[in-house]
Amino acid sequence: MKKISAPFFLLFSLAFFFAHPLFSQKTSVKEIDRRVEELLAKMTLDEKIGQLNQVPGDISTGTDVAKDDLLSQIKAGKIGSVLSHTNFDNKIVMQRAAVGTRLGIPLIFGFDVIHGYKTIFPIPLAQAASWDMAMIENIERIAAEEAGADGQNWAFAPMVDIARDPRWGRVMEGAGEDPFLGSRVAEARVRGFQGDDLGKNTTLATCVKHYAGYGFAEGGRDYNTVDMSEQRLREIVLPPFQAAAKAGSATFMNAFNTLNGVPASMSKHLVTDILRNEWGWKGLVVSDWNSFGETIVHGAASDDADASAKCLSAGSDMDMAGGTFLRGLKKALESGRVTQAQIDNAVRRVLRLKFMLGLFDDPFRYLDPKRREATLEKPEYRLAAREAAAKSMVLLKNDGGILPLTPESPFKNITIIGPYADSRDHKDYMSFWTLGIGNPDYDTTKIVTPAMSLKSTLEEMGFQVTVTEICLDAACNEKDLSVAMKATTSSDLVIVCVGERGIDCGESRSISDISLKGNQETLLRIAARGNKPTLMVLFNSRPLVFPWADENVQSILVAWQSGYETGNALADVVTGKVNPSGKLPITFPRSVGQVPLYYNHLNTGRPQSQMGQMWTSGYLDAPSTPAYPFGYGLSYTTFSYSNLTVSKSQPKMGETVEVSVNVTNRGNVAGEEVVQLYIHDVAADIARPVKELKGFEKIKLNPAESRTVTFKLTPEELSYWNADLKFKADPGKFKVFVGGNSRDVKEAEFELMP
Ligand code: BGC
């Protein structure tokens, strides 16, 4: 087992010890541990195994009376946690049953709180596009308040999987392709959910997932094999997990995949060696849905007992939805494959979490109907949803300055058209994850569609607006196209709402073709015929490719799946009430054949400078550059960068280097810019990425205003995992890049002296 180099490890462990909520109040932690031990001493083996068993509620209807079976198992002490249960009253029934058992151990309720709970925010990938950590933290605070008021104690979030493959449906749940941005987002989400005190009933325990490597499924096929070097694992995949651990996430979730041949749930390397021993993290690890049982399907365990022994021994604690521990753990103990002490340790972690959440002191503290009534869907939450959606949108193109639409714009008649102009399927604006949100009375009036808000807003400004409802099957058939032809004839501007269906993204929603489905491109061609000014608004969960639109459509706005307030936020951006400031957290390729395409790649020995150049690394039939690079996004103003300076041209190893740049707003309107800092280690001991994000700051500038932004490059940021798996910096030349995206940058350099 290779270790993190000593000074960093020490610093990290100390910081972690003091920062972690589990250990922030030493006396109460001592008291919790005392109570855990007292309880543990009274428990039978069956009761212990019951605490390690997590069982699904009924997520399909959300209204069932707690199933007799579920209830009798709770009464028999066979269940420690219930997940994905949506009915509030039933949770009270279940909790009563748990509290009525011999030892009265309360249940803990877990739920996938992915982008809001009742108030639906933009999908996580969209939120990451805001690069606004305070906003993301606030969203999770709201989600925790709502979920907590509805009886949930434990959020299966944040999902921090770095992903480079848009074919993978779960790209939408993460923060994109970059470990630095991903780490900042992970911390913000943990802070938002857990606050500074897990003991409050307005906070939820987080569950960082999916540990680890899940985002690198081969071919982008969900659940597929992951095989990568330890160096890539540590450099790209693990940083957001480590950041979340350091921020105090109470729990972790295993991943479904194998990593280098070992199912992640039974990976001692991941769970014990790295997470628990190297990082010193003390929380609970839960499996993913039946991922203990699936070790048998992977062919890495022979039966339930073997799977139980291997997963528990790896350091994983709780079995989600598989019943593997229930069937196999006792046998594993009896046959000597696990020890009583190992089982006790896992049970301790479950009990400790329940104590920390205050569930022993008051098992119903998250189940107060009055608080529920007063909390869910507060108007102020909707305002936050609107702000978040507007801040997440990314303007990719604005040729001729079509946007923003103002009373001075040279258009009169506007047509809003396309499958996502006014979709009646709420999930189209909210994603697959809202299926289980526990709102059986979901009605589409809760969602503001683009047509609803944009139409009235533009009409109030004096435009004549027609919404043409077509493409109800989302694909646009021939009849839709002929309607579109007529509808757009007399308009001066067409707003075409295209993209992908909400139910086509998320878990188990991998696709092999990331272009616009059906006849959506033809619809764009019809709208833009004769060079008619056209705005394409994209409703998407992942990078999609739309080469024709890139060339021919004047304005392109990425609106993502933006939740309840999609339409209002879109109106805010289109009319300039909000100046777009989103930046892509993931590369948009030109074609699916380029995948994986990411900005922080290594150089080859034969980098390509132009398409088709022989004997270089590239394609004969496609450029190797993306359609839109990581970090990219336009504003209604422009920003210039000048005076890039590095504080020391020859810093010594161990010194911090300061990098400053002046940013000026050159346009006529105020705007926000995400100033991004990248480095390149020019001659290290191994090949290093051509660029690596090492800092960013989102700033607001009025017209003609300038600001100097200063970044600190610490020794840690100049270090990397080398061939011997030591985390260290090499002396030598470094390049520094600063700009508003990963491609268009100013450049400086320094030399790190031995
Ligand atoms: C997903 C997890 C989720 C769990 C519980 C699994 O299928 O991979 O992300 O938390 O289900 O719903």
Side-chain angles (χ1 to χ4, degrees):
M1 183 46 244
K2 306 284 196 266
K3 292 270 184 225
I4 194 168
S5 66
F8 283 120
F9 178 53
L10 210 65
L11 264 178
F12 175 69
S13 311
L14 284 176
F16 180 70
F17 185 85
F18 290 115
H20 197 299
L22 291 171
F23 297 98
S24 59
Q25 300 154 351
K26 281 196 192 155
T27 47
S28 69
V29 166
K30 258 194 183 160
E31 175 59 11
I32 285 177
D33 282 347
R34 190 192 62 71
R35 291 174 74 182
V36 167
E37 293 309 320
E38 202 176 83
L39 190 53
L40 197 66
K42 294 183 195 153
M43 292 172 78
T44 63
L45 177 61
D46 285 335
E47 283 166 337
K48 288 177 183 174
I49 293 174
Q51 283 306 304
L52 304 181
N53 186 31
Q54 185 181 53
V55 170
D58 187 331
I59 55 170
S60 54
T61 65
T63 53
D64 70 314
V65 174
K67 292 255 168 63
D68 281 352
D69 186 37
L70 190 59
L71 215 52
S72 57
Q73 286 193 57
I74 293 170
K75 286 180 184 159
K78 288 189 172 161
I79 295 178
S81 172
V82 171
L83 83 145
S84 303
H85 194 84
T86 54
N87 185 284
F88 184 74
D89 296 332
N90 288 346
K91 275 179 262 178
I92 299 180
V93 175
M94 288 189 262
Q95 192 65 303
R96 261 198 219 117
V99 173
T101 55
R102 190 179 80 91
L103 295 171
I105 303 176
L107 292 169
I108 176 170
F109 291 100
F111 202 83
D112 290 288
V113 188
I114 307 297
H115 49 116
Y117 184 71
K118 290 273 182 178
T119 306
I120 307 301
F121 296 102
I123 56 169
L125 185 65
Q127 292 177 30
S130 74
W131 296 59
D132 187 332
M133 299 307 119
M135 188 202 85
I136 292 175
E137 184 174 336
N138 190 42
I139 283 177
E140 301 302 34
R141 180 190 61 78
I142 292 172
E145 279 176 16
E146 285 194 332
D150 198 36
Q152 314 294 2
N153 320 122
W154 184 10
F156 298 135
M159 190 276 227
V160 304
D161 297 312
I162 297 298
R164 294 167 165 177
D165 193 333
R167 293 172 299 180
W168 188 51
R170 301 195 80 169
V171 153
M172 51 96 30
E173 281 175 63
E177 74 188 33
D178 182 68
F180 185 88
L181 176 62
S183 299
R184 304 294 80 77
V185 173
E187 292 158 358
R189 291 195 194 284
V190 171
R191 281 197 306 266
F193 274 116
Q194 295 197 162
D196 55 5
D197 184 359
L198 258 192
K200 288 184 189 155
N201 61 1
T202 49
T203 58
L204 259 60
T206 51
C207 186
V208 182
K209 66 190 191 184
H210 305 84
Y211 191 66
Y214 189 39
F216 280 73
E218 280 178 4
R221 262 168 44 216
D222 209 357
Y223 319 121
N224 205 6
T225 306
V226 178
D227 209 305
M228 65 169 70
S229 69
E230 182 75 11
Q231 202 267 343
R232 175 174 278 187
L233 176 74
R234 287 174 178 273
E235 184 159 312
I236 305 294
V237 172
L238 294 187
F241 286 100
Q242 189 171 9
K246 201 168 165 186
S249 178
T251 76
F252 264 56
M253 187 187 292
N254 302 122
F256 282 124
N257 53 281
T258 55
L259 175 67
N260 303 333
V262 184
S265 302
M266 53 180 261
S267 168
K268 177 176 168 291
H269 179 55
L270 281 174
V271 183
T272 296
D273 297 345
I274 296 180
L275 176 61
R276 297 204 190 280
N277 293 345
E278 251 184 69
W279 299 351
W281 181 82
K282 309 277 187 214
L284 166 84
V285 177
V286 64
S287 76
D288 200 348
W289 191 287
N290 190 32
S291 66
F292 290 171
E294 286 177 15
T295 60
I296 302 170
V297 190
H298 282 299
S302 52
D303 56 19
D304 288 331
D306 196 29
S308 299
K310 285 173 172 160
C311 294
L312 190 79
S313 301
S316 304
D317 302 307
M318 186 184 255
D319 180 2
M320 178 196 285
T324 309
F325 273 1
L326 215 53
R327 295 184 301 270
L329 197 50
K330 205 184 222 173
K331 280 188 206 139
L333 179 69
E334 284 163 1
S335 59
R337 279 176 284 178
V338 293
T339 63
Q340 184 62 54
Q342 284 177 304
I343 296 178
D344 285 355
N345 269 339
V347 177
R348 274 189 188 99
R349 293 184 190 116
V350 175
L351 298 178
R352 203 179 286 144
L353 180 64
K354 292 182 177 181
F355 273 112
M356 277 170 17
L357 288 163
L359 292 169
F360 278 97
D361 298 323
D362 176 4
F364 300 95
R365 61 202 309 266
Y366 289 81
L367 291 164
D368 172 359
K370 281 204 191 110
R371 180 161 76 96
R372 179 178 192 271
E373 184 69 33
T375 307
L376 299 185
E377 296 189 53
K378 281 188 197 166
E380 72 209 54
Y381 295 167
R382 280 199 86 118
L383 288 181
R386 181 174 183 159
E387 187 203 9
K391 281 195 159 187
S392 303
M393 292 183 184
V394 184
L395 183 64
L396 294 183
K397 248 189 116 179
N398 196 20
D399 289 358
I402 289 181
L403 295 182
L405 296 178
T406 65
E408 291 76 48
S409 296
F411 315 110
K412 247 193 166 150
N413 296 308
I414 299 177
T415 299
I416 306 175
I417 203 165
Y420 304 100
D422 203 13
S423 173
R424 295 282 112 190
D425 183 347
H426 65 257
K427 288 189 290 298
D428 283 342
Y429 305 108
M430 300 204 298
S431 100
F432 149 92
W433 278 109
T434 50
L435 276 170
I437 283 299
N439 212 340
D441 57 337
Y442 243 137
D443 60 55
T444 46
T445 59
K446 292 195 169 148
I447 298 119
V448 183
T449 68
M452 280 156 68
S453 178
L454 203 51
K455 182 174 186 333
S456 51
T457 310
L458 292 174
E459 279 172 348
E460 275 160 31
M461 291 166 67
F463 295 101
Q464 282 176 2
V465 185
T466 317
V467 174
T468 305
E469 273 204 64
I470 54 164
C471 308
L472 296 179
D473 65 351
C476 302
N477 56 36
E478 292 299 327
K479 199 168 139 233
D480 293 321
L481 297 178
S482 66
V483 175
M485 186 68 95
K486 276 196 211 109
T488 53
T489 303
S490 56
S491 40
D492 316 311
L493 170 73
V494 189
I495 300 178
V496 192
C497 300
V498 293
E500 56 176 344
R501 308 214 49 187
I503 46 163
D504 289 341
C505 71
E507 186 174 345
S508 185
R509 266 72 174 176
S510 295
I511 52 176
S512 64
D513 178 3
I514 55 172
S515 55
L516 292 172
K517 294 255 172 325
N519 287 321
Q520 295 188 84
E521 186 185 303
T522 313
L523 177 64
L524 285 162
R525 286 175 188 259
I526 289 172
R529 69 189 183 280
N531 282 333
K532 181 174 295 203
T534 303
L535 161 64
M536 164 177 143
V537 185
L538 188 69
F539 296 87
N540 58 324
S541 68
R542 47 158 72 88
L544 294 176
V545 294
F546 33 87
W548 187 86
D550 287 336
E551 288 291 315
N552 298 286
V553 168
Q554 287 93 329
S555 272
I556 300 179
L557 179 68
V558 175
W560 312 102
Q561 283 148 355
S562 273
Y564 268 8
E565 288 290 316
T566 300
N568 284 328
L570 184 63
D572 290 344
V573 171
V574 166
T575 60
K577 189 172 158 200
V578 173
N579 189 350
S581 62
K583 302 272 187 176
L584 296 178
I586 185 164
T587 303
F588 273 43
R590 295 172 193 269
S591 70
V592 73
Q594 290 183 309
V595 169
L597 190 69
Y598 48 95
Y599 86 95
N600 51 354
H601 60 88
L602 303 186
N603 230 345
T604 67
R606 297 179 174 201
Q608 190 178 62
S609 51
Q610 163 192 341
M611 183 183 137
Q613 193 185 8
M614 289 310 288
W615 323 118
T616 64
S617 177
Y619 304 103
L620 287 180
D621 58 352
S624 23
T625 53
Y628 301 97
F630 174 82
Y632 183 82
L634 302 174
S635 159
Y636 295 148
T637 185
T638 51
F639 299 95
S640 69
Y641 287 73
S642 59
N643 291 339
L644 175 59
T645 51
V646 178
S647 61
K648 292 168 189 148
S649 58
Q650 293 195 318
K652 290 217 175 61
M653 293 275 275
E655 281 184 335
T656 290
V657 181
E658 287 194 357
V659 179
S660 324
V661 70
N662 281 356
V663 187
T664 306
N665 181 346
R666 297 280 171 202
N668 301 322
V669 288
E672 287 185 281
E673 169 73 327
V674 181
V675 184
Q676 301 160 41
L677 167 76
Y678 299 87
I679 64 164
H680 172 54
D681 189 344
V682 177
D685 284 351
I686 60 173
R688 301 297 303 144
V690 293
K691 280 189 187 109
E692 293 175 87
L693 183 72
K694 291 294 176 183
F696 63 87
E697 196 176 327
K698 190 163 190 173
I699 57 168
K700 185 164 189 177
L701 293 176
N702 288 319
E705 194 186 353
S706 291
R707 172 116 28 109
T708 303
V709 177
T710 303
F711 297 101
K712 282 190 166 50
L713 275 174
T714 63
E716 191 174 354
E717 272 144 10
L718 300 178
S719 302
Y720 68 94
W721 293 95
N722 70 10
D724 301 324
L725 291 182
K726 297 231 163 57
F727 188 70
K728 62 184 275 287
D730 292 331
K733 206 158 107 183
F734 280 80
K735 283 190 181 169
V736 172
F737 313 93
V738 178
N741 65 66
S742 62
R743 183 189 59 200
D744 308 310
V745 287
K746 298 264 178 223
E747 190 177 320
E749 60 181 47
F750 63 86
E751 191 179 355
L752 192 59
M753 305 304 283

